[in-house]
Amino acid sequence: MPSLFDPIQLGAVTAANRVLMAPLTRGRATKEHVPTPIMADYYAQRATSGLIISEATGISREGLGWPFAPGLWSDEQAQAWVPVTAAVHAAGGKIFAQIWHMGRVVHSSYNDGAAPVSASATTAPGKAHTYVGRHPYDTARPLELAEIPRLIDDYARATRNAIAAGFDGVQIHAANGYLIDQFLRDGSNHRSDAYGGAPENRIRLLREVTERVAAIAGADRTAVRLSPNGDSQGVDDSDAPSVFVPAARALAEIGIAFLELREPGPEGTFGRTDVPRQSPAIRQVFGNPLVLNSDYLSAEQAQVAIDSGVADAISFGRTFLANPDLPARLRAGAPLNTDVMATWYSQGAEGYTDYPALEAVPG
């Protein structure tokens, strides 16, 4: 079996190791969702990852509802990403853009009072993060059939902008209770048209978006993230294998570069679930690299997943927040810096670019 530190081919991209950086929302863009110079420093610090998957990045104003998160729908945003990708490449790294539509978890305050869109008229639990504090989510309006082509065009535009900005590829965010996940699962998709009902219909939007993105970026520079287990932001399914295994099979037929699965366990974060993990069944239908994610905290944990034959690589999330040189630390068995939750989404360098690398740690 390969080591966590062996190279891996991810479609068109040769990754130097199998320690991938998972997408991590950090809130350091402008209020207009334009990337800022400090983001180039942050990502370049983490360029020893086999592949960086960027923070979730909005495909449209309609689809972005997180304070100071970046976008990729305008020329200004795309140009502001250029120094970021250039810095990563200068440091020897590779980076994919994760493209994102949040669906029903976009608060109406982001869109001049307009209701968010989703598969059906449902409401996310809890409260939204807005520029003026936390507020209950709005009830979404169902996307009309006539709007689906426009939505897919938004994914296409973001993909073109990502490639123009120098990203090595794109990952479609289809996990964590966001728009595509809202279409995939029967707990949030109550439609009776071609995008609802049977699993093959609920998979349709994922397949069409992926086909369009792959036609622009190339299938070998296209990836997808799924969360094929229990509840995530109120989005769930009564029979997860019936939708996620066929979804993975459809993605395999498109020939995407890799598939990332977010699989938190009962004690996991952001979507705890005691539903059995779907990755072994998905492994049977998806032959290209399969990347597992969620709460991996050590090289030993990650190597066990690779040795099992289910995972080809592991994407590390919160451990990359405070450890810019995470691959070196894992290889050396060195202690990890502890991240500070209060600065996860704050503005500025504190808790962002000021975590020390291993050689800078005293002693």
Side-chain angles (χ1 to χ4, degrees):
M1 288 293 175
S3 160
L4 182 64
F5 306 103
D6 286 339
I8 183 172
Q9 196 68 31
L10 300 171
V13 172
T14 302
N17 57 64
R18 296 163 191 249
V19 181
L20 276 55
M21 179 174 164
L24 294 160
T25 295
R26 301 307 313 272
R28 261 66 176 191
T30 70
K31 196 171 183 178
E32 291 72 38
H33 309 294
V34 178
T36 54
I38 196 173
M39 292 168 60
D41 298 334
Y42 168 78
Y43 282 112
Q45 287 177 347
R46 290 153 178 80
T48 56
S49 164
L51 174 69
I52 295 170
I53 306 171
S54 83
E55 62 205 279
T57 301
I59 64 167
S60 63
R61 187 172 299 279
E62 170 197 81
L64 186 54
W66 191 275
F68 302 104
L72 261 171
W73 65 82
S74 72
D75 290 342
E76 181 184 12
Q77 291 163 343
Q79 285 301 309
W81 274 112
V82 171
V84 180
T85 61
V88 171
H89 292 151
K94 306 290 176 63
I95 183 169
F96 271 37
Q98 189 192 65
I99 55 176
W100 190 33
H101 192 302
M102 296 172 66
R104 71 180 191 176
V105 293
V106 176
H107 190 265
S108 59
S109 63
Y110 288 94
N111 287 301
D112 299 321
V117 299
S118 185
S120 302
T122 61
T123 308
K127 294 183 177 181
H129 293 267
T130 78
Y131 287 112
V132 289
R134 302 291 298 275
H135 293 278
Y137 288 107
D138 304 288
T139 298
R141 69 170 182 83
L143 273 165
E144 298 178 8
L145 275 175
E147 294 181 280
I148 300 292
R150 183 267 302 166
L151 173 69
I152 297 172
D153 284 346
D154 288 344
Y155 278 97
R157 177 181 59 194
T159 300
R160 285 192 294 270
N161 285 343
I163 299 304
F167 284 98
D168 297 292
V170 295
Q171 183 191 65
I172 299 162
H173 197 342
N176 296 1
Y178 296 119
L179 181 68
I180 294 177
D181 204 21
Q182 292 161 26
F183 270 81
L184 286 172
R185 306 211 226 184
D186 61 16
S188 50
N189 185 339
H190 307 152
R191 302 173 75 99
S192 58
D193 59 18
Y195 292 87
E200 58 266 28
N201 288 347
R202 286 183 275 129
I203 292 165
R204 188 183 307 273
L205 181 63
L206 170 66
R207 189 182 67 246
E208 291 180 348
V209 168
T210 307
E211 288 173 341
R212 185 70 173 279
V213 168
I216 296 166
D220 59 355
R221 295 186 183 273
T222 300
V224 171
R225 184 181 231 213
L226 297 174
S227 48
N229 289 290
D231 177 278
S232 186
Q233 301 196 92
V235 174
D236 208 345
D237 195 84
S238 61
D239 183 8
S242 73
V243 63
F244 286 106
V245 173
R249 184 181 294 112
L251 296 173
E253 291 169 355
I254 295 170
I256 64 171
F258 68 91
L259 174 60
E260 183 192 17
L261 303 180
R262 190 171 189 282
E263 294 193 299
E267 304 303 319
T269 56
F270 196 74
R272 298 177 181 86
T273 177
D274 55 7
V275 175
R277 294 190 174 196
Q278 303 302 311
S279 50
I282 288 172
R283 171 83 286 174
Q284 298 304 310
V285 301
F286 189 84
N288 282 352
L290 192 63
V291 179
L292 298 189
N293 167 263
S294 192
D295 304 303
Y296 286 93
L297 301 175
S298 70
E300 290 75 19
Q301 279 182 299
Q303 191 62 53
V304 167
I306 291 173
D307 289 346
S308 74
V310 175
D312 296 294
I314 302 296
S315 64
F316 290 79
R318 285 174 301 150
T319 42
F320 257 117
L321 293 177
N323 298 279
D325 55 347
L326 183 63
R329 287 176 182 266
L330 293 177
R331 185 189 286 270
L336 300 180
N337 298 325
T338 301
D339 62 278
V340 179
M341 186 181 295
T343 59
W344 281 4
Y345 311 122
S346 61
Q347 299 283 282
E350 184 181 1
Y352 190 59
T353 56
D354 61 350
Y355 287 109
L358 189 59
E359 62 271 16
V361 177

PDB file of all heavy atoms in Angstrom, residues 261-285:
ATOM      1  N   LEU A 261     -15.024  12.697   0.009  1.00  0.00           N
ATOM      2  CA  LEU A 261     -16.174  12.355   0.838  1.00  0.00           C
ATOM      3  C   LEU A 261     -15.964  12.892   2.241  1.00  0.00           C
ATOM      4  O   LEU A 261     -14.972  12.566   2.893  1.00  0.00           O
ATOM      5  CB  LEU A 261     -16.372  10.841   0.910  1.00  0.00           C
ATOM      6  CG  LEU A 261     -16.540  10.096  -0.414  1.00  0.00           C
ATOM      7  CD1 LEU A 261     -16.716   8.608  -0.138  1.00  0.00           C
ATOM      8  CD2 LEU A 261     -17.731  10.638  -1.217  1.00  0.00           C
ATOM      9  N   ARG A 262     -16.899  13.685   2.711  1.00  0.00           N
ATOM     10  CA  ARG A 262     -16.843  14.156   4.092  1.00  0.00           C
ATOM     11  C   ARG A 262     -17.697  13.210   4.936  1.00  0.00           C
ATOM     12  O   ARG A 262     -18.911  13.137   4.756  1.00  0.00           O
ATOM     13  CB  ARG A 262     -17.362  15.583   4.197  1.00  0.00           C
ATOM     14  CG  ARG A 262     -17.079  16.156   5.572  1.00  0.00           C
ATOM     15  CD  ARG A 262     -17.364  17.636   5.684  1.00  0.00           C
ATOM     16  NE  ARG A 262     -16.852  18.109   6.963  1.00  0.00           N
ATOM     17  CZ  ARG A 262     -17.480  17.920   8.123  1.00  0.00           C
ATOM     18  NH1 ARG A 262     -18.630  17.294   8.156  1.00  0.00           N
ATOM     19  NH2 ARG A 262     -16.951  18.340   9.262  1.00  0.00           N
ATOM     20  N   GLU A 263     -17.039  12.489   5.845  1.00  0.00           N
ATOM     21  CA  GLU A 263     -17.717  11.439   6.603  1.00  0.00           C
ATOM     22  C   GLU A 263     -17.503  11.585   8.115  1.00  0.00           C
ATOM     23  O   GLU A 263     -16.772  10.815   8.727  1.00  0.00           O
ATOM     24  CB  GLU A 263     -17.210  10.067   6.164  1.00  0.00           C
ATOM     25  CG  GLU A 263     -17.550   9.705   4.739  1.00  0.00           C
ATOM     26  CD  GLU A 263     -17.306   8.242   4.455  1.00  0.00           C
ATOM     27  OE1 GLU A 263     -16.152   7.801   4.575  1.00  0.00           O
ATOM     28  OE2 GLU A 263     -18.259   7.540   4.130  1.00  0.00           O
ATOM     29  N   PRO A 264     -18.142  12.566   8.735  1.00  0.00           N
ATOM     30  CA  PRO A 264     -18.010  12.679  10.184  1.00  0.00           C
ATOM     31  C   PRO A 264     -18.690  11.515  10.884  1.00  0.00           C
ATOM     32  O   PRO A 264     -19.758  11.060  10.470  1.00  0.00           O
ATOM     33  CB  PRO A 264     -18.716  14.004  10.501  1.00  0.00           C
ATOM     34  CG  PRO A 264     -19.697  14.158   9.387  1.00  0.00           C
ATOM     35  CD  PRO A 264     -19.047  13.572   8.172  1.00  0.00           C
ATOM     36  N   GLY A 265     -18.075  11.047  11.956  1.00  0.00           N
ATOM     37  CA  GLY A 265     -18.670   9.983  12.747  1.00  0.00           C
ATOM     38  C   GLY A 265     -19.587  10.540  13.817  1.00  0.00           C
ATOM     39  O   GLY A 265     -19.886  11.743  13.851  1.00  0.00           O
ATOM     40  N   PRO A 266     -20.045   9.699  14.734  1.00  0.00           N
ATOM     41  CA  PRO A 266     -20.958  10.150  15.795  1.00  0.00           C
ATOM     42  C   PRO A 266     -20.387  11.269  16.651  1.00  0.00           C
ATOM     43  O   PRO A 266     -21.132  12.084  17.184  1.00  0.00           O
ATOM     44  CB  PRO A 266     -21.182   8.883  16.619  1.00  0.00           C
ATOM     45  CG  PRO A 266     -20.901   7.759  15.684  1.00  0.00           C
ATOM     46  CD  PRO A 266     -19.825   8.248  14.781  1.00  0.00           C
ATOM     47  N   GLU A 267     -19.067  11.315  16.783  1.00  0.00           N
ATOM     48  CA  GLU A 267     -18.432  12.369  17.573  1.00  0.00           C
ATOM     49  C   GLU A 267     -17.799  13.427  16.687  1.00  0.00           C
ATOM     50  O   GLU A 267     -17.007  14.246  17.143  1.00  0.00           O
ATOM     51  CB  GLU A 267     -17.354  11.762  18.491  1.00  0.00           C
ATOM     52  CG  GLU A 267     -17.871  10.667  19.415  1.00  0.00           C
ATOM     53  CD  GLU A 267     -19.025  11.153  20.287  1.00  0.00           C
ATOM     54  OE1 GLU A 267     -18.946  12.304  20.774  1.00  0.00           O
ATOM     55  OE2 GLU A 267     -19.985  10.398  20.479  1.00  0.00           O
ATOM     56  N   GLY A 268     -18.142  13.429  15.417  1.00  0.00           N
ATOM     57  CA  GLY A 268     -17.525  14.355  14.476  1.00  0.00           C
ATOM     58  C   GLY A 268     -18.044  15.770  14.609  1.00  0.00           C
ATOM     59  O   GLY A 268     -18.905  16.078  15.439  1.00  0.00           O
ATOM     60  N   THR A 269     -17.518  16.629  13.760  1.00  0.00           N
ATOM     61  CA  THR A 269     -17.894  18.038  13.797  1.00  0.00           C
ATOM     62  C   THR A 269     -18.659  18.412  12.533  1.00  0.00           C
ATOM     63  O   THR A 269     -18.477  17.826  11.474  1.00  0.00           O
ATOM     64  CB  THR A 269     -16.640  18.923  13.891  1.00  0.00           C
ATOM     65  OG1 THR A 269     -15.774  18.627  12.802  1.00  0.00           O
ATOM     66  CG2 THR A 269     -15.912  18.672  15.196  1.00  0.00           C
ATOM     67  N   PHE A 270     -19.538  19.417  12.670  1.00  0.00           N
ATOM     68  CA  PHE A 270     -20.299  19.955  11.538  1.00  0.00           C
ATOM     69  C   PHE A 270     -21.003  18.837  10.763  1.00  0.00           C
ATOM     70  O   PHE A 270     -20.728  18.554   9.604  1.00  0.00           O
ATOM     71  CB  PHE A 270     -19.381  20.745  10.602  1.00  0.00           C
ATOM     72  CG  PHE A 270     -20.152  21.640   9.651  1.00  0.00           C
ATOM     73  CD1 PHE A 270     -20.744  22.794  10.101  1.00  0.00           C
ATOM     74  CD2 PHE A 270     -20.279  21.317   8.327  1.00  0.00           C
ATOM     75  CE1 PHE A 270     -21.458  23.605   9.238  1.00  0.00           C
ATOM     76  CE2 PHE A 270     -20.976  22.122   7.442  1.00  0.00           C
ATOM     77  CZ  PHE A 270     -21.566  23.273   7.906  1.00  0.00           C
ATOM     78  N   GLY A 271     -21.925  18.163  11.428  1.00  0.00           N
ATOM     79  CA  GLY A 271     -22.663  17.106  10.773  1.00  0.00           C
ATOM     80  C   GLY A 271     -22.403  15.753  11.404  1.00  0.00           C
ATOM     81  O   GLY A 271     -22.031  14.816  10.723  1.00  0.00           O
ATOM     82  N   ARG A 272     -22.576  15.641  12.712  1.00  0.00           N
ATOM     83  CA  ARG A 272     -22.386  14.350  13.376  1.00  0.00           C
ATOM     84  C   ARG A 272     -23.408  13.347  12.847  1.00  0.00           C
ATOM     85  O   ARG A 272     -24.545  13.684  12.585  1.00  0.00           O
ATOM     86  CB  ARG A 272     -22.553  14.499  14.890  1.00  0.00           C
ATOM     87  CG  ARG A 272     -21.543  15.417  15.544  1.00  0.00           C
ATOM     88  CD  ARG A 272     -21.845  15.563  17.031  1.00  0.00           C
ATOM     89  NE  ARG A 272     -20.900  16.468  17.691  1.00  0.00           N
ATOM     90  CZ  ARG A 272     -21.044  17.766  17.740  1.00  0.00           C
ATOM     91  NH1 ARG A 272     -22.082  18.336  17.170  1.00  0.00           N
ATOM     92  NH2 ARG A 272     -20.147  18.523  18.349  1.00  0.00           N
ATOM     93  N   THR A 273     -23.003  12.109  12.709  1.00  0.00           N
ATOM     94  CA  THR A 273     -23.929  11.092  12.242  1.00  0.00           C
ATOM     95  C   THR A 273     -23.504   9.722  12.718  1.00  0.00           C
ATOM     96  O   THR A 273     -22.320   9.427  12.824  1.00  0.00           O
ATOM     97  CB  THR A 273     -24.022  11.078  10.695  1.00  0.00           C
ATOM     98  OG1 THR A 273     -24.885  10.023  10.302  1.00  0.00           O
ATOM     99  CG2 THR A 273     -22.669  10.858  10.064  1.00  0.00           C
ATOM    100  N   ASP A 274     -24.492   8.898  13.022  1.00  0.00           N
ATOM    101  CA  ASP A 274     -24.188   7.509  13.337  1.00  0.00           C
ATOM    102  C   ASP A 274     -24.618   6.582  12.202  1.00  0.00           C
ATOM    103  O   ASP A 274     -24.680   5.374  12.351  1.00  0.00           O
ATOM    104  CB  ASP A 274     -24.847   7.088  14.659  1.00  0.00           C
ATOM    105  CG  ASP A 274     -26.347   7.342  14.667  1.00  0.00           C
ATOM    106  OD1 ASP A 274     -26.898   7.717  13.618  1.00  0.00           O
ATOM    107  OD2 ASP A 274     -26.961   7.165  15.744  1.00  0.00           O
ATOM    108  N   VAL A 275     -24.930   7.175  11.042  1.00  0.00           N
ATOM    109  CA  VAL A 275     -25.231   6.370   9.852  1.00  0.00           C
ATOM    110  C   VAL A 275     -23.949   5.695   9.378  1.00  0.00           C
ATOM    111  O   VAL A 275     -22.883   6.321   9.357  1.00  0.00           O
ATOM    112  CB  VAL A 275     -25.809   7.268   8.732  1.00  0.00           C
ATOM    113  CG1 VAL A 275     -26.015   6.472   7.454  1.00  0.00           C
ATOM    114  CG2 VAL A 275     -27.116   7.894   9.188  1.00  0.00           C
ATOM    115  N   PRO A 276     -23.997   4.409   8.995  1.00  0.00           N
ATOM    116  CA  PRO A 276     -22.775   3.741   8.518  1.00  0.00           C
ATOM    117  C   PRO A 276     -22.130   4.501   7.364  1.00  0.00           C
ATOM    118  O   PRO A 276     -22.819   5.052   6.501  1.00  0.00           O
ATOM    119  CB  PRO A 276     -23.292   2.368   8.057  1.00  0.00           C
ATOM    120  CG  PRO A 276     -24.530   2.148   8.856  1.00  0.00           C
ATOM    121  CD  PRO A 276     -25.150   3.498   9.028  1.00  0.00           C
ATOM    122  N   ARG A 277     -20.816   4.515   7.355  1.00  0.00           N
ATOM    123  CA  ARG A 277     -20.090   5.217   6.296  1.00  0.00           C
ATOM    124  C   ARG A 277     -20.341   4.553   4.939  1.00  0.00           C
ATOM    125  O   ARG A 277     -20.333   3.332   4.818  1.00  0.00           O
ATOM    126  CB  ARG A 277     -18.605   5.253   6.626  1.00  0.00           C
ATOM    127  CG  ARG A 277     -18.312   6.084   7.866  1.00  0.00           C
ATOM    128  CD  ARG A 277     -16.837   6.318   8.070  1.00  0.00           C
ATOM    129  NE  ARG A 277     -16.627   7.234   9.197  1.00  0.00           N
ATOM    130  CZ  ARG A 277     -15.494   7.863   9.442  1.00  0.00           C
ATOM    131  NH1 ARG A 277     -14.456   7.667   8.658  1.00  0.00           N
ATOM    132  NH2 ARG A 277     -15.389   8.677  10.469  1.00  0.00           N
ATOM    133  N   GLN A 278     -20.525   5.413   3.940  1.00  0.00           N
ATOM    134  CA  GLN A 278     -20.818   4.929   2.595  1.00  0.00           C
ATOM    135  C   GLN A 278     -19.566   4.733   1.742  1.00  0.00           C
ATOM    136  O   GLN A 278     -19.636   4.216   0.634  1.00  0.00           O
ATOM    137  CB  GLN A 278     -21.756   5.916   1.888  1.00  0.00           C
ATOM    138  CG  GLN A 278     -23.061   6.171   2.619  1.00  0.00           C
ATOM    139  CD  GLN A 278     -23.841   4.907   2.844  1.00  0.00           C
ATOM    140  OE1 GLN A 278     -24.048   4.119   1.929  1.00  0.00           O
ATOM    141  NE2 GLN A 278     -24.262   4.679   4.089  1.00  0.00           N
ATOM    142  N   SER A 279     -18.407   5.165   2.251  1.00  0.00           N
ATOM    143  CA  SER A 279     -17.198   5.128   1.427  1.00  0.00           C
ATOM    144  C   SER A 279     -16.842   3.732   0.917  1.00  0.00           C
ATOM    145  O   SER A 279     -16.406   3.608  -0.246  1.00  0.00           O
ATOM    146  CB  SER A 279     -16.017   5.746   2.176  1.00  0.00           C
ATOM    147  OG  SER A 279     -15.876   5.219   3.464  1.00  0.00           O
ATOM    148  N   PRO A 280     -16.999   2.636   1.686  1.00  0.00           N
ATOM    149  CA  PRO A 280     -16.660   1.322   1.113  1.00  0.00           C
ATOM    150  C   PRO A 280     -17.526   0.977  -0.102  1.00  0.00           C
ATOM    151  O   PRO A 280     -17.007   0.436  -1.098  1.00  0.00           O
ATOM    152  CB  PRO A 280     -16.906   0.363   2.282  1.00  0.00           C
ATOM    153  CG  PRO A 280     -16.687   1.196   3.498  1.00  0.00           C
ATOM    154  CD  PRO A 280     -17.262   2.532   3.142  1.00  0.00           C
ATOM    155  N   ALA A 281     -18.819   1.287  -0.048  1.00  0.00           N
ATOM    156  CA  ALA A 281     -19.688   1.003  -1.192  1.00  0.00           C
ATOM    157  C   ALA A 281     -19.371   1.929  -2.356  1.00  0.00           C
ATOM    158  O   ALA A 281     -19.390   1.509  -3.529  1.00  0.00           O
ATOM    159  CB  ALA A 281     -21.152   1.154  -0.778  1.00  0.00           C
ATOM    160  N   ILE A 282     -19.057   3.186  -2.060  1.00  0.00           N
ATOM    161  CA  ILE A 282     -18.706   4.126  -3.118  1.00  0.00           C
ATOM    162  C   ILE A 282     -17.395   3.713  -3.780  1.00  0.00           C
ATOM    163  O   ILE A 282     -17.233   3.834  -5.000  1.00  0.00           O
ATOM    164  CB  ILE A 282     -18.644   5.554  -2.536  1.00  0.00           C
ATOM    165  CG1 ILE A 282     -20.077   6.037  -2.240  1.00  0.00           C
ATOM    166  CG2 ILE A 282     -17.927   6.524  -3.473  1.00  0.00           C
ATOM    167  CD1 ILE A 282     -20.164   7.341  -1.502  1.00  0.00           C
ATOM    168  N   ARG A 283     -16.462   3.196  -2.994  1.00  0.00           N
ATOM    169  CA  ARG A 283     -15.192   2.701  -3.545  1.00  0.00           C
ATOM    170  C   ARG A 283     -15.424   1.654  -4.636  1.00  0.00           C
ATOM    171  O   ARG A 283     -14.660   1.578  -5.616  1.00  0.00           O
ATOM    172  CB  ARG A 283     -14.353   2.103  -2.411  1.00  0.00           C
ATOM    173  CG  ARG A 283     -13.105   1.345  -2.844  1.00  0.00           C
ATOM    174  CD  ARG A 283     -11.923   2.274  -3.110  1.00  0.00           C
ATOM    175  NE  ARG A 283     -12.036   3.035  -4.344  1.00  0.00           N
ATOM    176  CZ  ARG A 283     -11.181   3.993  -4.717  1.00  0.00           C
ATOM    177  NH1 ARG A 283     -10.169   4.319  -3.936  1.00  0.00           N
ATOM    178  NH2 ARG A 283     -11.332   4.629  -5.853  1.00  0.00           N
ATOM    179  N   GLN A 284     -16.489   0.855  -4.500  1.00  0.00           N
ATOM    180  CA  GLN A 284     -16.757  -0.212  -5.469  1.00  0.00           C
ATOM    181  C   GLN A 284     -17.198   0.323  -6.825  1.00  0.00           C
ATOM    182  O   GLN A 284     -17.059  -0.371  -7.838  1.00  0.00           O
ATOM    183  CB  GLN A 284     -17.833  -1.154  -4.912  1.00  0.00           C
ATOM    184  CG  GLN A 284     -17.434  -1.872  -3.637  1.00  0.00           C
ATOM    185  CD  GLN A 284     -16.149  -2.660  -3.783  1.00  0.00           C
ATOM    186  OE1 GLN A 284     -15.991  -3.452  -4.728  1.00  0.00           O
ATOM    187  NE2 GLN A 284     -15.204  -2.436  -2.874  1.00  0.00           N
ATOM    188  N   VAL A 285     -17.739   1.541  -6.850  1.00  0.00           N
ATOM    189  CA  VAL A 285     -18.248   2.086  -8.115  1.00  0.00           C
ATOM    190  C   VAL A 285     -17.427   3.260  -8.635  1.00  0.00           C
ATOM    191  O   VAL A 285     -17.631   3.700  -9.769  1.00  0.00           O
ATOM    192  CB  VAL A 285     -19.735   2.511  -7.987  1.00  0.00           C
ATOM    193  CG1 VAL A 285     -20.590   1.322  -7.571  1.00  0.00           C
ATOM    194  CG2 VAL A 285     -19.909   3.677  -7.026  1.00  0.00           C
TER     195      VAL A 285
END
